Amino acid sequence: MGTFLFDKIIFGPVRSRRLGVSLGVNLLPIDSKVCNFDCIYCECGWTKSTTSSKLPTRSEVKESMLLRLQQMKNSAEDLDVITFAGNGEPTIHPHFTEIIDDTIELRDSFFPKARIAVLSNSTMLHKPKVVAALQKVDQNILKLDSGFDSTIKILNKPKKPITVEQVVENLKQFNGNFILQTLFVRGIYNGKMVDNSTPAEIEKWLSILKEIKPREVMVYTFARSTPVDSLIKVPHPELEKIATRVRALGISVQVSE
């Protein structure tokens, strides 16, 4: 299947199925994906590097965001959220925390009612500055696709060893003030079946939700092309069944497909 990269620092706004009218921020190169995961469902394709010398500078991000927000304000465009996503993991940018401060300043000047959201794979939560920055935004949306290390290895393919236990302990730092996102998918990869929607997977995942108590959960499946053509979307009725069990724990759920 074909995949794509974001070719600008600031892109959109686009209508996000989960967030509304969203102005995107890409802190990674515009011509390659840079991430510490290599998820088999990633719309940006395979990870070729975990580092790059071509990351946009803090000043480049601020200038690009200022220009776009000015344009949107002048043309009376709507904006629900400024979303950090892009071509990889945004929190690996060395000036992520400072860029968040700049974004809050610009948001308050131009669209004070807009939210700031960060989509993260939860791998950099061992860094206090990253955690502090995420605690400043309106929606820190943090990934956990499975409660089993073996599934994470196949589904997310971490570039450095990481365990579910480590992620869970790091998520506890937020005292429930975060949104957990989980993408459900099934299929064959390298001759092995992968499916994080089985009864065993769901039971383990729910037990973790009880432990970390996020304020909200986003349950979804992939919407765009993936680098693996043998993956199958988990049908909406199944996602709704999963969501019902989350709601039974007293946790708000958003379902997307």
Side-chain angles (χ1 to χ4, degrees), residues 3 10 17 31 52 61 80 113 121-122 125 138 153 174 202 219-220 227 229 239:
T3 54
I10 306 297
R17 58 187 175 141
D31 59 356
S52 174
V61 175
D80 295 321
K113 293 183 179 180
N121 63 19
S122 306
L125 302 182
D138 304 283
K153 287 179 181 178
F174 294 95
I202 299 303
V219 169
Y220 65 117
D229 61 9
L239 297 178

Side-chain angles (χ1 to χ4, degrees), residues 24-73:
V25 185
N26 173 36
L27 299 184
L28 291 311
I30 61 173
D31 59 356
S32 63
K33 178 185 170 188
V34 175
C35 195
N36 47 18
F37 269 9
D38 197 11
C39 299
I40 64 175
Y41 57 73
C42 183
E43 62 190 30
C44 294
W46 297 119
T47 299
K48 294 182 173 60
S49 178
T50 58
T51 60
S52 174
S53 61
K54 296 193 292 183
L55 300 180
T57 65
R58 175 186 178 183
S59 62
E60 287 173 337
V61 175
K62 187 172 185 179
E63 289 169 10
S64 297
M65 189 180 298
L66 172 61
L67 178 61
R68 190 67 185 98
L69 290 175
Q70 283 178 328
Q71 292 171 339
M72 293 179 66
K73 188 75 171 179

Side-chain angles (χ1 to χ4, degrees), residues 138-256:
D138 304 283
Q139 293 179 289
N140 49 332
I141 304 170
L142 306 174
K143 175 181 293 296
L144 181 63
D145 282 339
S146 175
F148 294 107
D149 291 338
S150 56
T151 304
I152 296 293
K153 287 179 181 178
I154 298 173
L155 197 57
N156 303 124
K157 296 174 62 183
K159 291 296 188 178
K160 291 184 179 180
I162 189 168
T163 66
V164 172
E165 182 180 5
Q166 290 171 331
V167 173
V168 167
E169 288 304 309
N170 287 333
L171 288 171
K172 289 179 181 178
Q173 298 176 87
F174 294 95
N175 296 314
N177 188 27
F178 70 99
I179 299 169
L180 188 79
Q181 61 170 336
T182 303
L183 186 145
F184 289 97
V185 64
R186 57 176 64 115
I188 303 294
Y189 176 65
N190 280 350
K192 294 182 179 180
M193 181 67 185
V194 58
D195 184 352
N196 64 338
S197 65
T198 65
E201 287 276 355
I202 299 303
E203 291 298 333
K204 181 67 173 177
W205 180 74
L206 288 170
S207 71
I208 291 174
L209 295 190
K210 293 178 186 177
E211 187 176 356
I212 59 179
K213 299 179 175 66
R215 74 169 190 260
E216 184 179 344
V217 173
M218 289 181 172
V219 169
Y220 65 117
T221 191
F222 62 92
R224 300 187 179 97
S225 296
T226 67
V228 176
D229 61 9
S230 56
L231 299 182
I232 302 170
K233 297 180 181 183
V234 173
H236 188 80
E238 290 188 41
L239 297 178
E240 286 291 353
K241 287 181 181 179
I242 295 169
T244 296
R245 299 194 63 184
V246 177
R247 293 187 186 104
L249 301 177
I251 302 172
S252 176
V253 190
Q254 181 181 151
V255 179
S256 305

